């Protein structure tokens, strides 16, 4: 009887260290599930709320009277944007300064904006208009600047005196085409057309929201929404993320100055704080070159706490 040939199976080399079976796929799935659950849990507990964007359409529907009053100010050139100065307008005397240097005027008007033309007249002209609106636009363009100012200032005063600022409750007066134009602009805004008109800049990608944001900022609706979420400047809003605390803590030093005098009541607060932060940043950069200050870590010995493992190993080596 012939003996069967033995089949020799290779035996893995055990090596110098103990071994155990390792399921890479199992470990990957467990890590993926754990990471996903952790991310979802942390997002649910600490993430910001997904608030709807504040658009001109949302503003016009939620606060039509505020929108109308702001539109009148844009038409009359009395809004915050119209009088802001560079980089939007060449308003004489406007702009923040540090001493005799007007920083805004030094940069010049780089984003020219005519609030009456860009925010009111051009959107109305671009949209199909009823006969009354077309006649109102013609009357506005043919009137002298003094007459236009008389119309807008008269209507703005009447809106301020009307109950709730409601245009329908304004006392009759000589307001020219202003009521017709602003009423039509409100209709366009409610329909969402004004948002698109202010974004139309002749480019393929419409990503420049400068004009819609400026229009929104001139009204009180955007500020009211910010204050409701504790995001206003005097609420340390610059360092708070919506619905979260404490927000961006690295901005605390910048926002601190807006809460104290003389910055909190200064019309040049932005420029002054920018200059102060520039000086503080320069001082921080130059710490290694400032006598006395550069020696503080050596005097306090805090470096020994930071590198305590190294110094402990050095002492151990010397004992040996």
């Amino acid at each position: 009887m012939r003996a069967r040939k033995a089949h020799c199976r290779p035996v893995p080399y055990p090596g110098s260290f103990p071994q155990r079976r390792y399921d890479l796929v199992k470990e990957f799935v467990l890590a993926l599930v754990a990471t996903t659950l952790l991310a979802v849990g942390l997002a649910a507990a600490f993430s910001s709320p997904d608030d709807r964007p504040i658009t001109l359409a949302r503003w016009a529907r939620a606060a039509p009277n505020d929108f109308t009053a702001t539109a009148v100010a844009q038409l009359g050139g009395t809004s915050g944007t119209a009088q802001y100065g560079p980089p939007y307008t060449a308003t004489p005397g406007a702009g923040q300064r540090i001493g005799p240097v007007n920083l805004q005027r030094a940069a010049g008007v780089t984003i020219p904006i005519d609030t009456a033309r860009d925010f009111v007249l051009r959107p109305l002209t671009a949209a199909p208009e009823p006969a009354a609106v077309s006649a109102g636009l013609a009357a506005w363009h043919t009137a002298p600047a003094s007459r236009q100012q008389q119309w807008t200032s008269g209507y703005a005063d009447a809106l301020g005196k009307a109950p709730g600022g409601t245009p329908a409750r304004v006392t009759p007066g000589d307001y020219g085409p202003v009521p017709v134009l602003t009423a039509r602009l409100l209709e366009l805004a409610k329909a969402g057309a004004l948002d698109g008109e202010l974004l139309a800049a002749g480019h393929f990608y419409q990503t420049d929201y400068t004009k819609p944001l400026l229009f929104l900022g001139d009204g009180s609706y955007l500020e009211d929404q910010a204050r409701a979420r504790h995001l206003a400047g005097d609420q340390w809003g610059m360092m708070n993320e919506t619905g979260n605390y404490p927000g961006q803590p690295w901005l605390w030093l910048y926002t601190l100055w807006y809460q104290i005098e003389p910055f909190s009541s200064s019309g040049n607060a932005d420029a002054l704080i920018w200059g102060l932060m520039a000086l503080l940043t320069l001082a921080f950069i130059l710490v290694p070159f400032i006598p006395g200050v550069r020696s503080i870590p050596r005097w306090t010995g805090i470096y020994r706490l930071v590198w305590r493992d190294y110094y402990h190993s050095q002492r151990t080596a010397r004992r040996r």
Side-chain angles (χ1 to χ4, degrees):
M1 199 172 183
R2 192 166 56 181
R4 290 185 301 175
K5 184 178 181 181
H7 294 279
C8 298
R9 301 177 65 182
V11 178
Y13 175 66
S16 304
F17 302 97
Q19 296 180 340
R20 65 183 179 87
R21 293 184 60 82
Y22 185 81
D23 192 335
L24 183 62
V25 175
K26 178 181 177 181
E27 295 290 338
F28 171 76
V29 172
L30 290 176
L32 179 63
V33 172
T35 304
T36 302
L37 292 177
L38 182 62
V40 172
L42 292 176
F46 301 109
S47 67
S48 300
D50 187 15
D51 287 344
R52 293 186 301 119
I54 298 178
T55 61
L56 296 175
R58 180 179 170 185
W59 174 26
R61 295 167 191 152
N65 296 345
D66 179 49
F67 178 89
T68 300
T70 307
V72 175
Q74 306 290 17
L75 191 59
T78 58
S79 65
T81 299
Q83 299 179 347
Y84 186 80
Y88 308 120
T89 64
T91 305
Q96 299 200 20
R97 62 181 69 239
I98 298 180
V101 181
N102 190 318
L103 300 179
Q104 290 181 229
R105 192 163 298 279
V109 179
T110 56
I111 310 174
I113 291 179
D114 184 327
T115 58
R117 180 194 64 205
D118 295 331
F119 293 161
V120 182
L121 301 176
R122 182 177 291 168
L124 290 177
T125 304
E129 299 299 344
V133 178
S134 299
L137 288 171
W140 177 270
H141 288 302
T142 56
S146 58
R147 185 65 169 157
Q148 295 173 350
Q149 191 65 39
Q150 182 182 359
W151 286 336
T152 54
S153 61
Y155 193 56
D157 293 340
L159 277 175
K161 297 175 183 177
T166 306
R169 306 182 71 177
V170 169
T171 57
D174 182 15
Y175 311 127
V178 176
V180 175
L181 299 180
T182 54
R184 177 56 177 166
L185 192 71
L186 177 62
E187 293 177 1
L188 293 177
K190 287 182 176 180
L194 186 57
D195 287 287
E197 288 290 342
L198 295 187
L199 277 177
H203 302 291
F204 181 79
Y205 294 105
Q206 306 300 331
T207 56
D208 186 357
Y209 288 87
T210 300
K211 291 180 181 178
L213 286 175
L214 289 175
F215 201 150
L216 275 167
D218 286 334
S220 60
Y221 179 75
L222 182 62
E223 182 179 359
D224 292 341
Q225 298 300 307
R227 286 195 170 279
R229 291 161 176 78
H230 304 284
L231 295 174
D234 56 359
Q235 298 170 314
W236 294 69
M238 189 174 180
M239 66 178 297
N240 282 336
E241 187 180 354
T242 304
N244 208 351
Y245 179 85
Q248 297 86 354
W250 57 87
L251 288 176
W252 74 268
L253 181 58
Y254 206 107
T255 57
L256 166 69
W257 307 112
Y258 285 94
Q259 319 303 321
I260 62 177
E261 293 290 350
F263 307 107
S264 60
S265 60
S266 173
N268 290 319
D270 292 336
L272 295 176
I273 292 173
W274 176 84
L276 177 60
M277 290 301 296
L279 290 176
L280 292 176
T281 302
L282 181 63
F284 181 75
I285 294 174
L286 296 178
V287 162
F289 306 98
I290 302 177
V293 176
R294 65 187 180 189
S295 302
I296 291 177
R298 178 167 53 84
W299 294 338
T300 58
I302 194 172
Y303 66 94
R304 290 186 171 274
L305 178 63
V306 176
W307 298 101
R308 57 185 178 275
D309 291 341
Y310 168 77
Y311 287 104
H312 176 71
S313 63
Q314 291 294 101
R315 289 193 298 270
T316 304
R318 283 195 294 268
R319 292 193 190 103
R320 292 176 182 174

